[in-house]
Amino acid sequence: MATVLAAGRRHSVACRDDGTAVAAGNDRAGECDVLAWSGLVAVAAANVHSARNTGRSHTIGLRADGTVIATGWDRDGQTNVSDWSEIAAVAAGWRTTLGLRTDGSTVAVGRTAEGQCDVNTWREVVSIACGDWHSVAVRSDGRALATGNNQRGQASIGGWRNLVGVSAGYMHTVGLRDGGTVVATGENGWSQCDVAQWSCATAVAAGSYHTVALREDGRVCAVGDNRFGQCDVQAWTGVTAIAAGSTHTLGLLLDGTIVAAGNNDDKQCDVSTWRLHRG
């Protein structure tokens, strides 16, 4: 499923069904400059941790023809994606952009200091995600791949099996199994990895210190840091997609509208007027 909804450090972005994009939140690096984009099928927003000295971010758009567009912070060349082609999915981390090619191989640009861009040998990949300093993927056989910083064990996922999806937070990684159960590893200071009891999940999303899952009944559950109310999603119903930013959470409803919870200091939760379905 294409990622039509994304949440970054201090901004939110979405892809409408007519291929255009909309964004809200902090635009200090141009990460919200997406109104001229067209032909999109997916978006990604760089999600960095919530330290006060962070904030600049970047946004990635995947076009229907397999090419990629980017805007925002480019300190390490993380927006240098104009020559990419035959891309099926995109992911954005702190100073890193990851692309999944249609042949199952992967490509990355951006910061390399922690090894998060060392993905050129990956093959048979079906799902990708970027954290702050690590990159992860799921192969077609349900096994996991990871590279980059492993300070909190966030890249120790080689033993995971039967995966269909994956998401990466600041220093934790979350995996979705084919039976709807969820697994997580890494930093757990806010209980963001306490997902062992979850079931019937169809999607997962990792923020800086919180984890969110979409259930098959359209409801949403969350664990972890809730200082900004980013885990206050239990009342949501009819949700079809989710995204977790640094300190906010987004949900796409059946009618194409968006709900949001969490930090709104930069207006990243001002999404109530968005309509992704344009008849």
Side-chain angles (χ1 to χ4, degrees):
M1 179 179 178
T3 305
V4 298
L5 189 64
R9 169 65 176 95
R10 294 172 178 166
H11 76 296
S12 302
V13 61
C15 172
R16 300 188 183 101
D17 59 8
D18 65 359
T20 60
V22 61
N26 190 298
D27 193 34
R28 62 184 293 190
E31 54 264 61
C32 290
D33 295 346
V34 301
L35 295 183
W37 290 3
S38 62
L40 299 179
V41 293
V43 290
N47 179 9
V48 302
H49 66 87
S50 57
R52 292 186 180 274
N53 64 344
T54 66
R56 288 174 293 180
S57 186
H58 68 290
T59 302
I60 304 295
L62 173 62
R63 298 189 183 101
D65 64 1
T67 60
V68 181
I69 190 170
T71 187
W73 194 34
D74 193 40
R75 176 171 177 173
D76 290 85
Q78 60 265 37
T79 66
N80 294 340
V81 296
S82 60
D83 61 341
W84 287 8
S85 62
E86 299 182 349
I87 301 297
V90 289
W94 185 57
R95 305 192 196 182
T96 306
T97 302
L98 189 63
L100 170 61
R101 295 192 180 102
T102 54
D103 65 0
S105 62
T106 49
V107 61
V109 292
R111 182 180 171 94
T112 61
E114 292 81 19
Q116 59 267 63
C117 286
D118 294 343
V119 301
N120 291 336
T121 61
W122 290 1
R123 297 293 184 271
E124 300 180 2
V125 173
V126 296
S127 180
I128 55 173
C130 290
D132 254 35
W133 298 323
H134 70 299
S135 299
V136 294
V138 176
R139 299 195 325 179
S140 58
D141 62 2
R143 294 174 180 263
L145 298 169
T147 186
N149 187 294
N150 197 32
Q151 184 177 353
R152 296 289 189 270
Q154 65 267 34
S156 297
I157 62 175
W160 289 3
R161 300 290 185 270
N162 303 317
L163 296 179
V164 293
V166 68
S167 186
Y170 168 42
M171 282 193 174
H172 76 293
T173 303
V174 183
L176 174 64
R177 294 194 180 104
D178 59 8
T181 59
V182 181
V183 62
T185 188
E187 170 64 42
N188 199 33
W190 293 93
S191 300
Q192 61 265 48
C193 291
D194 291 353
V195 298
Q197 301 303 313
W198 288 0
S199 62
C200 302
T202 60
V204 292
S208 284
Y209 303 111
H210 73 295
T211 302
V212 185
L214 173 61
R215 302 191 323 189
E216 60 187 19
D217 62 0
R219 293 184 176 273
V220 180
C221 52
V223 293
D225 180 15
N226 198 34
R227 287 174 292 175
F228 297 92
Q230 62 264 47
C231 291
D232 293 340
V233 298
Q234 294 82 359
W236 292 0
T237 60
V239 178
T240 63
I242 54 173
S246 179
T247 54
H248 72 294
T249 304
L250 303 176
L252 171 63
L253 303 185
L254 285 166
D255 63 1
T257 58
I258 310 295
V259 289
N263 191 341
N264 198 33
D265 287 350
D266 291 272
K267 309 303 181 184
Q268 62 266 51
C269 289
D270 286 359
V271 297
S272 61
T273 61
W274 290 5
R275 301 292 184 271
L276 301 196
H277 303 332
R278 287 187 166 181

